[in-house]
């Protein structure tokens, strides 16, 4: 595999990782919001009396959860936490690979520039010789 092909492969892998990270990041954001609302809901549920602020938070959390539950009655907090943990680990792995690739690409670009520079220098003496003839 030539240097240009290797370089293109590494750039392609970086783009692939970015593509995989986007849905992971979106889902983590969604799960974080679900878990925050569930936490508020459970903290206020059954607490008597609720302050006006707590009542507003409780009602907002309850309405939010009702909207994401699709008719289910049990809030899957444990499943959300498990998924959040799994996706956080996946994000970490993808980020580490991306950063490693970024360094590899930087090094490959230096090598590529050096090779191009050497090739240009090698071609210049031939041009001078051709001009002298």
């Amino acid at each position: 595999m030539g240097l240009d092909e290797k370089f293109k492969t590494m750039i392609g892998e970086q783009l692939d990782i970015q593509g995989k990270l986007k849905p992971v990041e979106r889902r983590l954001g969604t799960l974080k919001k679900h878990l925050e609302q569930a936490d508020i809901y459970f903290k206020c549920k059954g607490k008597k009396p609720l302050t006006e602020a707590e009542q507003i938070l409780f009602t907002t959390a309850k309405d939010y959860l009702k909207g994401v539950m699709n008719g289910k009655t049990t809030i899957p907090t444990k499943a959300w936490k498990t998924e959040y943990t799994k996706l956080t680990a996946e994000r970490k792995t993808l980020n580490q690979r991306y950063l490693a690739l970024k360094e590899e690409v930087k090094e490959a670009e230096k090598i590529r520039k050096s090779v191009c520079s050497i090739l240009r220098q090698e071609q210049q003496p031939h041009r001078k010789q051709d001009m002298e003839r």
Side-chain angles (χ1 to χ4, degrees):
M1 180 184 295
L3 194 57
D4 284 337
E5 290 83 17
K6 175 70 174 162
F7 192 73
K8 286 177 187 174
T9 300
M10 290 178 354
I11 296 292
E13 190 176 345
Q14 274 187 308
L15 292 172
D16 184 51
I17 291 170
Q18 284 178 332
K20 289 177 181 175
L21 273 170
K22 285 179 186 178
V24 169
E25 292 287 348
R26 275 194 305 271
R27 183 62 181 158
L28 282 170
T30 300
L31 287 169
K32 184 178 180 185
K33 184 156 182 156
H34 289 1
L35 290 166
E36 288 169 350
Q37 294 302 309
D39 189 44
I40 291 167
Y41 175 81
F42 287 119
K43 279 182 182 174
C44 294
K45 184 181 176 189
K47 182 180 177 188
K48 301 290 180 202
L50 290 175
T51 65
E52 187 177 339
E54 288 172 329
Q55 184 60 53
I56 291 168
L57 287 171
F58 177 72
T59 302
T60 303
K62 188 169 93 175
D63 291 345
Y64 173 87
L65 292 168
K66 185 178 179 183
V68 299
M69 296 297 295
N70 297 323
K72 296 177 186 163
T73 55
T74 305
I75 300 170
T77 308
K78 186 177 178 181
W80 287 342
K81 286 180 181 177
T82 301
E83 184 181 0
Y84 190 87
T85 301
K86 178 182 161 260
L87 288 174
T88 300
E90 183 179 342
R91 177 180 62 188
K92 182 180 178 186
T93 301
L94 288 169
N95 276 328
Q96 286 172 336
R97 180 64 187 135
Y98 182 83
L99 292 174
L101 263 172
K102 190 175 179 179
E103 287 303 311
E104 289 176 33
V105 166
K106 214 164 47 175
E107 288 301 313
E109 182 60 21
K110 284 180 191 175
I111 293 168
R112 195 170 88 156
K113 284 180 181 179
S114 296
V115 168
C116 288
S117 175
I118 291 168
L119 290 174
R120 277 193 304 273
Q121 287 174 0
E122 285 180 357
Q123 289 174 351
Q124 286 176 353
H126 296 296
R127 287 185 189 151
K128 285 181 183 176
Q129 288 172 357
D130 290 343
M131 290 177 153
E132 290 172 357
R133 291 183 192 176

